[in-house]
Amino acid sequence: LNSALEDINKAIEINPNNYNFYFERALIEYENQNYDNALVDLKNILSQYPNNAKSYNLRAKIHESTGNMLEAESDFAIANSLGYVETEE
């Protein structure tokens, strides 16, 4: 995952306006249990794209992982209201 993180950081340097890169970095940080870093990227995404359901869903998973169940429930509800459907990967 560290090489993936390095690659996505380079992609962000090249194209800092592509929110998909920030989401991918947040996902990597989540998988590494670097929740604070992931939350920073998700906050930035949601400030520019407040209807981004997959960002709410990932943020909900982070809140769930850290025991913040009220925040998790709220973000899961927002993601669902925006049409997010969990798929098997």
Side-chain angles (χ1 to χ4, degrees):
L1 289 175
N2 287 333
S3 66
L5 188 57
E6 290 173 13
D7 290 345
I8 202 69
N9 283 335
K10 288 177 187 172
I12 289 170
E13 284 180 30
I14 294 168
N15 190 352
N17 296 321
N18 187 328
Y19 84 90
N20 289 305
F21 293 150
Y22 291 93
F23 182 82
E24 289 302 317
R25 184 169 68 182
L27 189 57
I28 293 167
E29 295 287 17
Y30 166 72
E31 291 170 354
N32 282 327
Q33 297 182 352
N34 295 325
Y35 301 130
D36 289 341
N37 293 344
L39 288 171
V40 168
D41 281 338
L42 294 171
K43 179 180 177 183
N44 289 335
I45 293 167
L46 291 169
S47 72
Q48 294 181 28
Y49 303 95
N51 294 326
N52 189 281
K54 68 181 184 177
S55 293
Y56 280 107
N57 190 69
L58 181 55
R59 192 170 75 175
K61 288 180 178 182
I62 293 168
H63 288 314
E64 188 174 56
S65 295
T66 59
N68 297 319
M69 299 314 289
L70 290 177
E71 291 91 344
E73 290 174 17
S74 174
D75 280 348
F76 279 132
I78 293 168
N80 289 336
S81 74
L82 293 171
Y84 186 82
V85 176
E86 187 76 43
T87 58
E88 301 259 340
E89 294 185 23

